[in-house]
Amino acid sequence: MILVPTTLTAEERALQADVRAYLDERLLPGTYPLGLGMAGDVDPAFSRDLGAQGWVGMALPKEYGGGGRTAVERQIVVEELLTRGAPVGFHWTADRQSGLNILHNGTEEQRRALLPGIARGELSFAIGMSEPDAGSDLASVRSIATWKDGAWHISGTKIWTSNAMTATHLLCLFRTSDGRHDGLTQFVVPRDTPGVTVAPIPFIDGTRHFCEVAFEDVRLTDDARLGEVGAGWGQNTSELALERGGVDRWMSTMPLLERWARSEGVRDSVPAQVDLGRILARLWAYRGMSLSIARLVDSGTFPVVEAALVKEMATLFEQESLALVRRHYGRTPSLTSDDPWEALLARAILVGPSWTLRGGTTEILRTIISKGLIKR
């Protein structure tokens, strides 16, 4: 492990204050649907407003419309958004990982065509990795892309593709040869491409942001390919480092924890105060680890093992802290309650088990950690 303790600089704290002041005015309580971390509501207007502030695509270079800022600065903005359960669903994936993937692996034409729209909050990406018969084992991907008659012909099905129904683009992994790892290639597919069908999957909490995406002989020109043929596994692995090590892995319950921490139930109960103290101590540790990972990303490192470690521990923490809040609530919350906080707690209880699955199951993460440590 090479995580080095770090703190925010004076300039970074000033950015934190600016974001808080803006969100105090833009997201007045009761004016938006409360979300659970990165599963926040899809609100294109809010994403465009953030883009106008320079808070989408922050880590992208200025020459491509980005802010030319650091991963740490982006993390500061994200912390403030997730603490409020903000509607980040439209721009989330493009801002967190697709834009950087295109920056590092795309052609100059792809960068100029896609990155400015991402930074303005106008383009939305969904990631097509998991498949019905492969789960989250990406080496078992079966959807194929075949080069024939001057075009790529794509067929197959992706599943659990978050927000594919509202995305403008899909960034998907397809098999281009038999090699388990070197036979995979990434493609950028506009969602309205003929042959692409997106079907929402009703989730247990009544939402429909998960989707199944079918590709039926979809034809793409070679400029839709992201990176070299066969380079998809490595690109995907690097992309997951950005996905797994961020603060979004321990902030799903943050709005609920904030609400609970300020409640009479905590103020008047010593056992509740003890549990809150335990939660805060671990929160502080995970925040420090995510901040250290962001510093590594800013230094040009892709800390795959460290990011897997954070996700493995932090997603379990999310579930444990939710169980504590639920126990102190004292009764079963209703998903249909008029109280948005009670409804949010009920929703969290229903979807919480998925937090250790999305972005790589706990078992896969432990394999990555053990293999990575053995190599070191």
Side-chain angles (χ1 to χ4, degrees), residues 45-315:
F46 179 68
S47 295
R48 289 195 298 272
D49 287 350
L50 281 186
Q53 295 295 320
W55 293 337
V56 179
M58 292 177 68
L60 298 174
K62 291 183 178 179
E63 65 182 294
Y64 301 117
R69 307 185 78 162
T70 66
V72 170
E73 289 173 315
R74 177 187 176 272
Q75 179 168 310
I76 290 167
V77 174
V78 168
E79 281 182 350
E80 298 306 318
L81 290 167
L82 299 192
T83 297
R84 297 163 195 255
V88 298
F90 185 76
H91 69 270
W92 180 260
T93 301
D95 178 58
R96 179 180 63 181
Q97 61 195 82
S98 301
L100 291 174
N101 191 352
I102 293 167
L103 173 68
H104 294 304
N105 301 302
T107 64
E108 184 63 18
E109 289 74 19
Q110 287 171 328
R111 295 181 191 124
R112 297 203 177 278
L114 298 169
L115 297 185
I118 289 175
R120 291 193 298 268
E122 296 174 354
L123 298 185
S124 174
F125 275 66
I127 303 297
M129 291 192 267
S130 299
E131 296 188 357
D133 296 324
S136 55
D137 178 11
L138 300 184
S140 299
V141 161
R142 295 181 180 179
S143 295
I144 60 171
T146 306
W147 181 256
K148 184 173 61 178
D149 300 329
W152 289 100
H153 295 248
I154 294 175
S155 296
T157 302
K158 297 293 180 181
I159 199 167
W160 312 124
T161 307
S162 298
N163 293 328
M165 199 67 190
T166 52
T168 59
H169 292 75
L170 311 169
L171 204 166
C172 300
L173 188 68
F174 296 108
R175 183 159 294 287
T176 47
S177 69
D178 293 334
R180 182 169 169 79
H181 291 161
D182 60 3
L184 298 169
T185 305
Q186 287 187 310
F187 291 82
V188 176
V189 186
R191 187 176 59 84
D192 58 0
T193 303
V196 176
T197 304
V198 181
I201 302 170
F203 203 41
I204 192 170
D205 64 343
T207 59
R208 299 169 69 85
H209 68 278
F210 273 141
C211 298
E212 180 178 278
V213 184
F215 300 85
E216 297 182 24
D217 194 25
V218 173
R219 299 189 181 193
L220 299 173
T221 56
D222 198 40
D223 57 11
R225 173 170 50 84
L226 184 65
E228 299 297 324
V229 173
W233 175 266
Q235 292 171 196
N236 223 107
T237 302
S238 298
E239 193 176 355
L240 286 172
L242 300 171
E243 177 180 342
R244 289 172 173 162
V247 296
D248 39 306
R249 291 305 173 188
W250 48 266
M251 292 193 71
S252 298
T253 58
M254 193 57 65
L256 290 168
L257 291 176
E258 282 259 354
R259 176 82 172 181
W260 177 61
R262 301 176 189 278
S263 69
E264 292 182 355
V266 171
R267 191 167 58 242
D268 300 336
S269 167
V270 172
Q273 292 168 11
V274 171
D275 283 338
L276 177 61
R278 289 171 176 163
I279 289 174
L280 288 177
R282 293 174 67 185
L283 268 177
W284 194 247
Y286 293 131
R287 182 176 186 270
M289 295 176 76
S290 291
L291 189 58
S292 296
I293 286 177
R295 295 278 189 218
L296 285 174
V297 171
D298 285 334
S299 70
T301 302
F302 284 100
V304 175
V305 175
E306 289 81 358
L309 183 68
V310 169
K311 182 184 182 301
E312 195 274 348
M313 294 189 297
T315 51

Side-chain angles (χ1 to χ4, degrees), residues 10-25 53 55 69 76-77 80 84:
E11 291 76 14
E12 289 165 346
R13 292 189 183 281
L15 170 64
Q16 186 182 57
D18 289 344
V19 178
R20 286 177 178 173
Y22 174 79
L23 293 179
D24 282 345
E25 294 186 2
Q53 295 295 320
W55 293 337
R69 307 185 78 162
I76 290 167
V77 174
E80 298 306 318
R84 297 163 195 255

